[in-house]
Structure formats: C-alpha cells, structure tokens
Amino acid sequence: MKNFKDATWKQYVSQAIEIIQEDDIKFVRLQFTDINGMLKNLAVSYRNIESVFENGQSFDGSSITGYRSVEESDMVLYPDPSTFAVLPWRSKEKASCRLLCDIYTPQNKRYDADPRYILERAIEKAQQAGYKFFCAPELEFFIVKESENGGLPTPIDLSGYFDFHPGDLTDELRREIADTAEAFDIDIEISHHEGALGQNEIDFKYGEALETADRAITLKMCGKVVAARAGYLTTYMPKPFQGINGSGMHTHQSLWSLDETTNLFYDEKDQEHGCFSELARNFIGGQLAHGRKMCAVLNSWPNSFKRLVPGYEAPVYIAWAHKNRSPLIRVPNFGGRKSAARCEIRCPDGAGNPYLQFAVLIATGLDGIKNKTDPGDPVEINVYHMSYEERKERGIVSLPESLKEALDEFETSPLMKETLGETAFENFLKEKRREWDAYRLQVSEWEVSRYIKRL
C-alpha cells in the first residue's frame, strides 16, 4: 500500500508542481485504464492540482467499462506523482502534462477492481515470498492509413522483417515514437520493422512490473499520438489482416532477490539445465499448468484468437523450449550472463490490459514455485509439425481456440479469481462475454461469399 505522506511522495509532488508552474501548464491530464486496458483521461486546472494530490479528483465510475454500477458510481482518482511527465507533442504555448492515477472509493480505500491495484497486490505477494518480478514486453503494432471511401484501413508500407529503405516513412514514424517515449523516461532498446506489411516492433528496457505496465500503457499512447499527428493510425489489434502475421506482446520474465542484486532464474551449479534454475523451471511449470486458465486475460478479444493459429509464428501449444519458438514459453540463450537468465511467454498481445496481464503472470509463476510444478522436458522440435497423436503422447495441449473457450476456462479458476479479486473477476467475465456475444452475432463477408449460393 502506498504511503501518500512519506518524504518520497512529497518530493515527487513538489517537483511536479514546480514544473507545472515553471512551464506555465494550464491543464493536467489524469489518466487510468478501464478493465480492457483502454486509456482514460480527464483534464483538471493547474489551480486545483495541489488539492487533487491531497484529496483526489471525483469521477463517475459507472461510465467506465468494468468499474462500478450507477447505484455506487462515485469514485476518486489519486495521481501517482512518480508518473508525472510533460506531454512532448504539445507546444509550449499549450503545454500540458499527465499523471497516471490510482482509483479509490469515497471511503478513501483503494478500489479493489482498479487494474493498477490488482497488479500491486500480485507484486506484494511476490515480495512476501521473497521475490521481485521483472519483465519486458515486445510491443508489436501496425501503422495503417484509413480509406478515403470508407473501406478498410491498409498498411502504409510494403516492407518486411528488418527491412530498411532510405527515407522510409515507417522508419521515420518509429523513430518519432521512440523519441516521444524517451521523453517519458522510457529507455527504448530496439525498434524495427516486423514481418508483415505495415507491422513494427518497439522494445524498452526490462523493469519492475508496475513500472513496466505504466510504460507499456504510455508507449501505446505515444504510438497512437505520433501516427495520428502524421495522418495515420497505430493499432495494437492482434490480427488486423488475413493471411499475414498478427501482432503479439512477447513478454520476458524473471524473478530477482528483494535487493535486486541476484537473478533467481540463474543457478551456476545447475549445469545440466544450462544454469537455468529449478525455481525458474517451476515458475514455467506454473504458467504452463494455468496456461488455458489465464489465456482470457493475456488474449482478451475475439480477434486475439485469429492470431493464435498455426503457421503465423504465434504459439498455439502449451509447452516450453530453449531454441524452439513454436511452444508457449521459450528460454532465450542468455550466454551464461547471470542478469540475462529469463523466460519469454509468447501468447500475450498488446490489445489487453498490461496490469492484469502481468498480475496473472506473477500469480501463475508463484503458484508453480509454491507447488514445485515440473514443466516437463523442453520440446525442441516444431510442435506445429507434430501429429495429434504425437502431441497427445507428450501431454501437449493447445491454448483455447476462441474467447468463449478461454472465458469458460478462466471462470473455473480459483487462482484467477483470487488474483483479480471477486469484483474484477466478475466484471471481466461480464464484459468479455458481452463482447463475445456481439462478435458471434456478426455475419462475415467470408460466410456470405462461401455459403449463400451453395446452400
């Protein structure tokens, strides 16, 4: 639980107010996410910011997806001053800033279904067990141009994986997104064109889970703003185009000692497993065991499951490996470097809520450690090429094939309910089943063209 009166908090508040005054900022944007991970935003006058830091800002929670009902709609935003940043795309004359917020009830208690709080609770459980969870997402996205005649958007380039063309528009936009993210103190490490037309990836530095989730939300905002200002659209939709790769959010994970000096996924004595510790293998075992149960959070839209199909570099089967990229979890070659020992889970996508996604990753990994869950032997042959009988013999099952199937699995999981809390668990199910119902009522162009004359 945060202490809003400690010296560090007061220092952050003082620094934020000082910059607001020096930069003549008239309005401060208070930001948070709904249960889907959609960024929400309201602006308050600079004149009220000291009061907002002290007393919070009231808002109508019943209008936010996955929050409260009309009968108990009053909620309060408390800005986290450590997330203060001046918006780099605003002119000096119209300077603005943002603060990410925590959600409270009118009784001045943390709202238990606030996605940020859900992640904080998972982090606290890890710390109670003696661990700090570090992670880094690889955010893939498409930059598209909208059709002038009302048709579907199309990719803005014809490039492929790692392609470079002098003066390339996509390269310039990626650079601008990266520069914009750096203004929010996000340390960008890699930026490149991905495999599909119009598809890109930007990765930032490994960090503690809450900070990483904040940065993921911020980087997505930067991507959308930069593209919009250039007349284009950045989308984190997992599968916007048929027949090409979709966009994922492969997430690298490791557990560290509480003082952050020791990577607990590394064990020099365990040469048999390439110095990858037993604790790390149990962590993977937990995520494999709960893979189907947590899939609805990691892949939370009907469209997410259009990406999770064989043949497009997305994981489908619940297994782990070292070199092989076809299973759900991969252990990258860390070359004996203690700090680099990690595992990469490959099914999450950037359309979801990173606070919830990281929370379930922590919870399932900790459950594996607690129960000493054996992940089995690594599967180093391409799982896509195995027959059903071969997969069955190895005990390899698949991820859910639809959001409906994923929600049915999620609903039966005590661990998912415990991790999200009862309110968020029920709200998530209700919202996502509503989304599934809306999806399954649609009649696609493919169905019409395939069946209308045949039947």
Side-chain angles (χ1 to χ4, degrees):
M1 182 69 70
K2 294 185 179 71
N3 180 357
F4 287 101
K5 304 302 177 187
D6 69 13
T8 302
W9 185 85
K10 290 179 179 179
Q11 182 180 2
Y12 278 128
V13 169
S14 177
Q15 290 171 348
I17 291 174
E18 183 179 345
I19 294 173
I20 289 169
Q21 293 172 343
E22 287 180 354
D23 288 10
D24 195 26
I25 293 173
K26 300 300 184 186
F27 289 95
V28 178
R29 298 188 185 189
L30 306 182
Q31 298 182 332
F32 61 101
T33 67
D34 68 7
I35 202 166
N36 288 321
M38 301 295 183
L39 191 64
K40 300 296 180 179
N41 178 98
L42 66 90
V44 297
S45 170
Y46 73 100
R47 298 183 185 90
N48 301 328
I49 192 60
E50 290 189 55
S51 174
V52 171
F53 274 124
E54 188 71 22
N55 304 307
Q57 173 64 48
S58 298
F59 73 104
D60 178 7
S62 68
S63 298
I64 305 300
T65 302
Y67 276 34
R68 289 192 144 188
S69 64
V70 174
E71 293 81 7
E72 48 178 6
S73 60
D74 292 337
M75 307 194 82
V76 183
L77 293 172
Y78 273 92
D80 181 341
S82 69
T83 66
F84 174 85
V86 176
L87 300 182
W89 54 81
R90 296 299 295 266
S91 66
K92 188 174 182 180
E93 294 73 25
K94 294 185 177 181
S96 186
C97 62
R98 78 88 195 260
L99 289 152
L100 294 174
C101 298
D102 297 316
I103 315 300
Y104 279 69
T105 68
Q107 293 74 38
N108 207 35
K109 294 182 179 180
R110 290 294 294 271
Y111 177 48
D112 62 347
D114 172 12
R116 208 163 182 258
Y117 186 39
I118 290 169
L119 177 55
E120 287 180 1
R121 294 200 303 263
I123 291 169
E124 187 175 350
K125 285 189 176 181
Q127 291 177 341
Q128 288 172 352
Y131 313 122
K132 273 200 172 182
F133 178 79
F134 279 68
C135 59
E138 300 177 358
L139 274 165
E140 296 176 340
F141 56 93
F142 283 85
I143 302 178
V144 300
K145 53 185 176 183
E146 298 188 75
S147 172
E148 295 180 359
N149 58 11
L152 294 175
T154 55
I156 67 169
D157 64 57
L158 300 177
S159 299
Y161 192 69
F162 275 28
D163 279 359
F164 169 72
H165 302 288
D168 180 51
L169 171 62
T170 309
D171 185 65
E172 292 299 317
L173 289 173
R174 278 200 312 274
R175 172 58 188 269
E176 189 173 348
I177 293 170
D179 288 345
T180 303
E182 295 268 5
F184 288 89
D185 291 328
I186 299 175
D187 189 356
I188 301 298
E189 292 192 326
I190 297 174
S191 166
H192 64 86
H193 200 286
E194 256 296 337
L197 307 182
Q199 189 183 32
N200 302 272
E201 177 177 315
I202 296 180
D203 306 337
F204 58 87
K205 189 176 180 180
Y206 220 59
E208 182 275 328
L210 182 63
E211 182 180 61
T212 299
D214 288 343
R215 287 174 172 172
I217 287 292
T218 303
L219 180 57
K220 288 164 68 174
M221 174 181 68
C222 293
K224 288 181 173 295
V225 168
V226 167
R229 288 170 65 84
Y232 301 107
L233 174 69
T234 287
T235 179
Y236 295 88
M237 181 179 179
K239 188 80 167 185
F241 303 110
Q242 181 179 327
I244 59 176
N245 294 353
S247 290
M249 189 183 75
H250 302 166
T251 300
H252 297 257
Q253 315 167 84
S254 62
L255 292 178
W256 289 65
S257 59
L258 293 179
D259 61 5
E260 301 182 16
T261 61
T262 305
N263 183 354
L264 302 176
F265 275 18
Y266 182 87
D267 183 358
E268 189 172 3
K269 297 177 183 178
D270 199 341
Q271 296 291 327
E272 180 184 351
H273 297 94
C275 298
F276 195 62
S277 70
E278 182 181 7
L279 179 140
R281 298 196 301 277
N282 291 156
F283 183 92
I284 289 175
Q287 294 194 336
L288 295 179
H290 294 279
R292 287 179 59 84
K293 305 293 185 184
M294 67 176 171
C295 189
V297 176
L298 302 180
N299 305 98
S300 56
W301 297 97
N303 181 258
S304 297
F305 296 87
K306 299 293 180 70
R307 167 182 166 255
L308 299 179
V309 295
Y312 295 96
E313 299 184 16
V316 178
Y317 301 109
I318 299 178
W320 74 289
H322 291 278
K323 297 178 182 179
N324 186 7
R325 293 173 183 263
S326 63
L328 177 63
I329 296 176
R330 184 176 76 96
V331 177
N333 181 5
F334 50 90
R337 292 176 294 141
K338 297 179 181 180
S339 63
R342 65 197 187 278
C343 66
E344 173 196 34
I345 186 164
R346 297 173 60 80
C347 74
D349 60 52
N353 189 318
Y355 299 107
L356 302 185
Q357 291 171 320
F358 297 164
V360 300
L361 291 177
I362 292 171
T364 53
L366 291 179
D367 187 73
I369 293 171
K370 177 183 176 182
N371 295 302
K372 297 188 178 299
T373 306
D374 183 359
D377 295 330
V379 179
E380 298 299 353
I381 60 175
N382 194 328
V383 187
Y384 299 143
H385 295 164
M386 289 183 184
S387 66
Y388 171 78
E389 289 74 20
E390 287 175 310
R391 293 196 301 271
K392 184 177 180 180
E393 185 178 342
R394 290 173 176 262
I396 299 173
V397 299
S398 66
L399 290 171
E401 295 182 1
S402 69
L403 180 60
K404 166 68 164 57
E405 186 180 346
L407 290 171
D408 289 345
E409 291 278 355
F410 173 83
E411 189 171 19
T412 64
S413 171
L415 183 60
M416 293 299 102
K417 188 171 186 177
E418 176 189 341
T419 303
L420 269 65
E422 186 170 354
T423 304
F425 182 81
E426 296 298 335
N427 288 351
F428 185 85
L429 275 171
K430 183 178 179 181
E431 171 60 25
K432 290 305 173 181
R433 290 205 184 280
R434 184 186 296 123
E435 183 75 20
W436 174 254
D437 285 342
Y439 170 77
R440 69 191 183 96
L441 292 175
Q442 302 304 309
V443 178
S444 69
E445 183 179 336
W446 181 89
E447 293 171 278
V448 174
S449 63
R450 184 175 179 87
Y451 298 119
I452 198 166
K453 294 180 180 179
R454 183 182 300 180
L455 301 174

